[in-house]
Amino acid sequence: MGRPKKAVAPGAVAEDLARFLQKLSARSGRTYDAMARVCGVSAATLCRADSGERRPGLDVVRAYVEACGAGASDLRKAERLWRGTPAPVSLSGAGWVEPDAVCDVQQLGEVMRAARALSGQPSLRSVEERAGVLGLVLSRSTLGDAMRPGAVPTETVFCVFMQVIADFAGSPAAGYGPEVWEEVWRRVQPGRRPRARGGAARGPRKAAVSGPSVTSRVPCAPGTRGGRGGRRPRARAWVRPGPVEDFKAYLYQLYLGAGVPSLDDIETAVLLNDSSEAAPGRERVSRLLWSAELGLQQDVVAVAGVLAGMAGSDPAAAAGHAKELWVQASGARPYGCAVGEADPLALGVRETFVLARAGKALPALVPYIRREHDQAIEAVVARAVSSRSGMVIARGPQTAGKTRSCWEALRGIPAGWRLWHPADPFDGTQVVQGLAQAGPRTVVWLDRVERYLDPVQYRWATAVQAELGTVLHDSRRAPVLVIGTVSAAADVLNRSGGLTPAADTAVRTLIEDVVVDVSPRFTKTELVRLADLAELDDRLAIARDHARSAVPKFLATSRRAYPILAPESFHAAVEHGDTDTLFMGGTLLRQWGRLEEAAAWYQRAAEAGDSQAIEPAAALLSESGEPQKAISWLRSLAEAGDPDAAVAAARRLLETGRDNEAIRIYQQAALAGGSRRALRAAAALMRRTGQAREAVRWLRACAEGGNPAALHEAAHLLWETGDQARALKFYADAGSAGELAAWRDAAERLQTLGRDDEAVITYRAAVQLGDRQSELPLADLLVEQGRLEEALEIYLEEARKQQDPEKQNPDLGVLRRIANLYRSSERPDEALAWLQEAADRGDVAAFMQIGLILRDKCDQGEKHVDEAVVAFTRAAAAGEWHAYREVVWLLRKHRGLKAAVGWLHLRIENKDRRAVREMADLLREAGMTEEALTWYLRAAEQGSEYAARYALRLQSQLLSSGPGARCGTPEVGEATGATEATEDL
């Protein structure tokens, strides 16, 4: 699969899509195996996807584009081509039928093509070489002609091909001998003389007498009947999105593709599989397929290999990919933290004030005093522990003790649960993704939940609401406990005047039945409990004597000054514009409950240029009961050209329905500071309020005032509203005014519309104006159009620029693109030169490509063999372990079995344990059973279960066949040389 792929046959079902995918693959320079490791789709599936024989699934197309490292424009074009491709027929209509059902001459070619597809779509070269190993003759050119749709194969080609394809893993022809296919050909070709079998032809292949057949299953989709006896696929457990889900989804995909085999089938197939190093039983297989457990790596490799064989894919590739996914999943960052390891202060619990006169160190929190609302919160926690998802929200004013009550309720959560809370509440993407990953036995902690649910202040509010609803009602993810707090004055619950009523109703519906009110003052009963616990902590005694009933606020308020908060420190920071000191002081004051002072420090930090201080300053001003003061202060900053202040001011104006005032603030900030962010925000808000035309006119006026970025934003706005013609004109006007990025956007839009010729012209205009970022997209588009020479000129020019020794991090993809263009135009020497340069610059993936090119040149001279061995060896050192197999194949083909054995001997001396098994496999394939048995026993001593099982098989064969029995008949010279080489070991 490393060689250039054969051109798509004219008239193929998915011809246009396949040609485009092959261009992306050639441009990336990656093999199918390398692509499979990136996207999680098997190499055989990727190979079939760009063959053109049938339309692949849309998810496969997207994975293919991703694996090639292509951009958004390429993905859009691939999806457009996919939609224009006829849907695939069912597998039964793809050509494969059992031999007894073949009744028409046209079905011969269909059976050949289906057998090849179900055997992992091996290359014609591989089929030709496998035929030679089996003592048969089959030319790949002749076979290629016979495999074309509509062609009728000759008797020799048909019968020999079916014998050879039966030798591939997963082949549906594996259970039939050559006489079966001769009978089929005679039946559909009456009057023809049967072909005489020569001595080189293979004898009948014996069907397996023990264990189920694992080669002729028909894949079935989830939820349908399939497999033997109409077995329904068993649903797998919910798995958290991420590497673990990717790993589990891949195993389940293999299970479905294998025809929904039973656990007995899988267990037996693993025991009979030559490449398996483990023998997992029914229970371990069941946990691998239908639970969230990762299992053992060797079990994963074994199960993936046999399932791929059942599905007709390459077992080695599937096992290798499953192993890589397992490694990624096992190294994935765990979700949240264990409940017992959570830090209450990090979750928002306020630290109790520090007592200076204490003779001993006191904990950050005082002993908890049980309150009346605790019972209601604990009831929800108890239901969650008993496997019923639920949500509870503690509501009350600031410093009422809401967060501490929720924290104390978590003491009822057993060990083994995980707790997750947003590290950055303002990162909506992180919040939504975190909620989507909440699964069984998870606590989702949402302190100040109003921050996440208000659609006016939080752009991701709708997505958060949807995720919360999903996680609470999805039975597969139960139990999940959502626990949090909400301010009693939260606008999302108290907004009036008919402002965004639908959004407010959605929020209230979500949380009104789960709210537990928390009073800021202690009841008489709670004060009695406080007096009882006062002896345990001096701070409780002080609260008993001085707090009256406002105990929570008293305990959370600082009772001492801090050096950084001294008045002289404040004035010094203001005088020198030290925003770090100002921001830190505001944070400390806020933690200690001194909110008015904190607001002043934050305000001065914001006025000194610290944009991070704007939001907390405005929030504190609003919480202190002066929302209009916050708006006035923010408006003054916005009028001075601060886009962050404009956003904050507009957000608060939107809360009260003053949309037009918010728009004016955005506009003022854009005119004062030329901020692109303010331009975009104003245009988006105007469009949302039904003023799209006015927004375009205003942006045009801004551009006439000397801000070309306004034209670019106007183009975006017009495109989003569906006015494509005007949008393209605005992109061109913005580009002519100096916004070079507008040219690139215009070209991408043209590609989306299928107007590739115009896109080329647009890219060229951008390049001529000095936009270097448009050069590579232009060249990639030229490759798609088949204008290879023009693309090559651009790639070569870019490569020359990268030869500058001062250039850091050169784009090695350019070198790979050049090499692949040379390979596709049958110029391997030039391709080698560029791949070597890429390798010299650190591109280790290039060694595999170098080895593949040299492999094709080995027939031209002996020196290429050594060079190919070196390249494949370096590729293996970089992680391409299958490259070692290429070395063994090359040495055996060009220098004989003794050379291959000697090379493996060197690896064994270097403590390479893989080489011991490879030695045993090589000798077994060469028919040297006794020598192979010796090496299998040695590998078994090193811990290889696969080698141990194979050693038992060979011992059984030797005992049943008598002394000196061998599995085959190697040439005398090869056997003698191999024996001499192995005697030294």
Side-chain angles (χ1 to χ4, degrees):
M1 292 189 292
R3 61 174 43 243
K5 191 171 180 73
K6 185 177 179 180
V8 181
V13 174
E15 179 181 4
D16 293 339
L17 174 62
R19 292 183 187 279
F20 179 66
L21 293 179
Q22 286 192 13
K23 289 176 182 177
L24 294 182
S25 176
R27 189 174 72 193
S28 70
R30 296 174 179 170
T31 63
Y32 288 121
D33 286 337
M35 292 165 61
R37 289 193 294 273
V38 173
C39 66
V41 176
S42 70
T45 301
L46 297 174
C47 180
R48 290 193 292 269
D50 66 6
S51 66
E53 296 178 1
R54 59 184 296 179
R55 183 175 75 165
L58 182 58
D59 56 338
V60 175
V61 173
R62 290 170 174 166
Y64 194 112
V65 175
E66 175 192 356
C68 292
S73 61
D74 292 322
L75 177 59
R76 288 193 294 269
K77 182 171 182 178
E79 292 176 346
R80 186 172 68 251
L81 292 173
W82 181 86
R83 286 190 291 270
T85 303
V89 297
S90 64
L91 185 60
S92 60
W96 175 256
V97 293
E98 296 301 323
D100 293 342
V102 179
C103 57
D104 183 80
V105 68
Q106 294 296 330
Q107 286 183 288
L108 297 176
E110 294 175 3
V111 168
M112 293 173 64
R113 289 189 291 274
R116 182 187 176 202
L118 294 174
S119 301
Q121 198 72 13
S123 66
L124 298 183
R125 176 193 176 105
S126 300
V127 176
E128 180 185 42
E129 293 174 349
R130 188 67 61 90
V133 172
L134 299 175
L136 303 172
V137 177
L138 187 61
S139 167
R140 64 176 179 269
S141 59
T142 303
L143 180 58
D145 294 335
M147 297 287 286
R148 290 186 179 134
V152 179
T154 65
E155 180 186 7
T156 301
V157 171
F158 174 73
C159 293
V160 172
F161 172 79
M162 296 310 295
Q163 292 180 64
V164 174
I165 203 67
D167 202 54
F168 283 83
S171 173
Y176 304 101
E179 72 283 348
V180 175
W181 303 113
E182 292 170 8
E183 176 60 31
V184 169
W185 196 88
R186 285 197 301 270
R187 188 172 65 247
V188 299
Q189 294 277 11
R192 300 291 184 93
R193 293 177 58 188
R195 176 177 60 88
R197 278 185 287 168
R202 298 179 66 199
R205 292 177 60 90
K206 294 183 179 180
V209 295
S210 63
S213 169
V214 293
T215 56
S216 58
R217 303 276 175 82
V218 178
C220 63
T224 63
R225 291 192 179 272
R228 282 201 244 159
R231 184 183 298 115
R232 285 183 179 275
R234 177 177 170 183
R236 62 190 179 98
W238 181 88
V239 181
R240 183 169 290 113
V244 178
E245 184 189 38
D246 295 341
F247 164 65
K248 286 293 183 177
Y250 181 67
L251 283 185
Y252 195 70
Q253 177 187 1
L254 293 176
Y255 162 71
L256 294 178
V260 197
S262 68
L263 293 177
D264 290 334
D265 289 350
I266 299 174
E267 182 181 19
T268 304
V270 170
L271 290 173
L272 297 175
N273 186 18
D274 293 345
S275 60
S276 173
E277 290 198 12
R282 289 167 47 88
E283 183 179 353
R284 284 195 284 177
V285 173
S286 176
R287 290 200 300 267
L288 276 179
L289 294 177
W290 300 306
S291 77
E293 295 182 22
L294 290 179
L296 300 176
Q297 185 183 104
Q298 56 266 32
D299 291 349
V300 170
V301 172
V303 172
V306 299
L307 290 177
M310 293 177 179
S313 301
D314 183 358
H321 185 58
K323 179 179 179 181
E324 292 177 2
L325 291 177
W326 183 91
V327 172
Q328 295 174 11
S330 61
R333 184 176 181 181
Y335 181 73
C337 65
V339 172
E341 299 174 358
D343 180 4
L345 301 183
L347 298 179
V349 180
R350 294 179 183 273
E351 184 177 7
T352 307
F353 66 85
V354 178
L355 194 59
R357 67 174 183 272
K360 58 181 179 179
L362 296 174
L365 302 178
V366 295
Y368 185 66
I369 301 165
R370 186 171 175 79
R371 305 185 63 187
E372 292 182 355
H373 57 264
D374 288 334
Q375 183 176 358
I377 298 176
E378 291 169 355
V380 179
V381 175
R383 287 197 297 270
V385 172
S386 62
S387 301
R388 182 179 174 183
S389 295
M391 179 166 68
V392 60
I393 303 295
R395 177 175 60 186
Q398 195 171 26
T399 64
K402 308 182 295 293
T403 311
R404 178 68 188 273
S405 297
C406 292
W407 167 253
E408 293 298 326
L410 295 185
R411 298 184 184 276
I413 299 292
W417 282 57
R418 308 290 296 181
L419 182 144
W420 175 85
H421 70 100
D424 182 3
F426 299 102
D427 186 350
T429 304
Q430 178 198 101
V431 175
V432 173
Q433 290 177 350
L435 291 173
Q437 293 182 341
R441 295 177 297 281
T442 299
V443 176
V444 176
W445 182 278
L446 297 177
D447 189 34
R448 297 179 61 192
V449 71
E450 67 270 19
R451 295 183 295 184
Y452 310 101
L453 299 179
D454 190 344
V456 175
Q457 300 189 42
Y458 201 64
R459 58 180 293 189
W460 299 278
T462 303
V464 171
Q465 294 170 26
E467 287 295 344
L468 280 175
T470 300
V471 74
L472 290 172
H473 295 96
D474 188 348
S475 59
R476 298 184 308 146
R477 298 165 67 173
V480 176
L481 171 64
V482 180
I483 188 168
T485 65
V486 64
S487 172
D491 291 333
V492 71
L493 298 178
N494 301 297
R495 193 177 297 127
S496 59
L499 302 175
T500 58
D504 291 349
T505 301
V507 176
R508 282 194 291 269
T509 301
L510 180 65
I511 69 174
E512 65 182 352
D513 293 334
V514 299
V515 165
V516 174
D517 287 313
V518 178
S519 172
R521 296 185 177 276
F522 271 27
T523 64
K524 292 182 179 180
T525 303
E526 293 165 356
L527 289 173
V528 171
R529 295 174 185 159
L530 168 64
D532 293 340
L533 296 175
E535 296 180 359
L536 300 178
D537 194 301
D538 291 342
R539 293 169 294 183
L540 288 180
I542 296 174
R544 177 197 58 191
D545 297 336
H546 301 283
R548 300 190 181 185
S549 62
V551 176
K553 184 176 181 179
F554 183 88
L555 292 173
T557 303
S558 175
R559 300 294 154 195
R560 66 182 180 86
Y562 196 79
I564 196 175
L565 304 180
E568 56 271 18
S569 299
F570 175 82
H571 294 300
V574 170
E575 181 179 352
H576 295 92
D578 184 357
T579 59
D580 291 336
T581 299
L582 292 169
F583 189 89
M584 188 185 308
T587 303
L588 291 171
L589 289 165
R590 188 177 187 179
Q591 291 176 351
W592 295 339
R594 296 159 62 177
L595 304 184
E596 293 182 2
E597 297 173 77
W601 283 63
Y602 278 133
Q603 282 182 277
R604 297 308 296 264
E607 292 166 1
D610 190 346
S611 60
Q612 294 183 351
I614 292 176
E615 184 59 37
L620 288 175
L621 289 173
S622 299
E623 291 175 5
S624 64
E626 301 183 63
Q628 188 56 46
K629 181 179 179 181
I631 293 175
S632 300
W633 174 70
L634 291 169
R635 179 175 286 177
S636 64
L637 292 180
E639 291 173 352
D642 191 325
D644 296 299
V647 171
R651 185 181 298 160
R652 282 157 177 78
L653 289 169
L654 290 172
E655 294 174 12
T656 57
R658 297 153 69 180
D659 294 347
N660 290 331
E661 292 183 61
I663 292 172
R664 284 196 294 273
I665 286 182
Y666 278 134
Q667 292 176 339
Q668 291 171 356
L671 293 175
S675 167
R676 183 186 292 270
R677 180 182 178 186
L679 281 172
R680 186 169 300 166
L685 183 55
M686 293 177 74
R687 178 195 172 193
R688 194 173 73 187
T689 56
Q691 306 177 58
R693 293 184 178 179
E694 291 80 355
V696 173
R697 286 197 292 268
W698 174 70
L699 289 170
R700 185 191 289 273
C702 291
E704 293 174 352
N707 189 353
L711 288 176
H712 199 176
E713 295 300 327
H716 287 320
L717 179 60
L718 289 168
W719 186 270
E720 292 170 358
T721 57
D723 194 347
Q724 298 172 347
R726 291 186 67 201
L728 291 173
K729 182 180 183 303
F730 271 73
Y731 279 127
D733 292 342
S736 301
E739 279 285 303
L740 297 182
W743 290 115
R744 295 196 301 275
D745 289 340
E748 287 192 6
R749 304 297 194 191
L750 289 168
Q751 285 183 265
T752 303
L753 298 174
R755 296 156 63 177
D756 290 351
D757 292 335
E758 297 176 64
V760 169
I761 296 173
T762 305
Y763 274 131
R764 288 194 186 279
V767 172
Q768 291 173 358
L769 291 172
D771 182 18
R772 290 192 56 189
Q773 296 185 41
S774 293
E775 292 177 351
L776 289 181
L778 170 61
D780 294 343
L781 182 55
L782 291 172
V783 171
E784 294 175 14
Q785 294 184 319
R787 299 157 67 175
L788 304 184
E789 293 300 327
E790 298 177 63
L792 186 58
E793 291 181 7
I794 298 176
Y795 289 144
L796 291 172
E797 179 61 28
E798 182 65 22
R800 282 192 288 270
K801 294 175 183 176
Q802 294 190 19
Q803 290 176 349
D804 184 355
E806 297 182 359
K807 184 176 181 61
Q808 300 293 325
N809 301 321
D811 185 0
L812 299 178
V814 175
L815 306 183
R816 288 194 295 269
R817 287 179 172 95
I818 296 172
N820 281 285
L821 281 181
Y822 279 128
R823 288 186 69 186
S824 61
S825 58
E826 303 297 333
R827 297 163 67 180
D829 293 332
E830 289 88 339
L832 269 177
W834 285 100
L835 286 170
Q836 188 61 55
E837 181 173 348
D840 293 342
R841 293 194 179 195
D843 185 5
V844 293
F847 288 115
M848 192 67 192
Q849 298 295 322
I850 293 172
L852 292 170
I853 295 177
L854 291 171
R855 182 191 66 183
D856 296 337
K857 296 168 67 69
C858 284
D859 294 331
Q860 302 174 11
E862 185 70 15
K863 67 173 184 177
H864 296 305
V865 177
D866 294 329
E867 295 173 353
V869 169
V870 172
F872 281 132
T873 302
R874 298 192 68 177
E880 298 276 359
W881 298 110
H882 60 283
Y884 279 141
R885 296 284 184 180
E886 292 284 349
V887 176
V888 174
W889 179 85
L890 275 175
L891 292 175
R892 182 178 180 186
K893 177 181 179 181
H894 294 281
R895 295 180 179 172
L897 182 60
K898 183 176 180 179
V901 170
W903 184 78
L904 286 171
H905 172 47
L906 294 176
R907 287 177 53 199
I908 292 170
E909 290 178 345
N910 290 326
K911 310 301 182 183
D912 188 344
R913 297 177 61 181
R914 291 186 182 87
V916 178
R917 276 189 50 190
E918 292 176 19
M919 177 74 80
D921 290 336
L922 175 63
L923 296 173
R924 175 178 56 83
E925 293 168 3
M928 304 173 64
T929 308
E930 296 176 359
E931 292 85 347
L933 175 58
T934 302
W935 286 99
Y936 278 127
L937 291 173
R938 181 170 174 178
E941 291 174 357
Q942 295 177 350
S944 173
E945 295 181 16
Y946 154 77
R949 289 200 306 273
Y950 225 109
L952 291 175
R953 287 189 182 185
L954 293 185
Q955 287 176 335
S956 177
Q957 291 178 14
L958 290 171
L959 290 174
S960 62
S961 302
R966 295 181 180 275
C967 295
T969 309
E971 296 181 8
V972 175
E974 282 200 347
T976 303
T979 302
E980 294 174 356
T982 55
E983 285 176 352
D984 297 335
L985 303 183

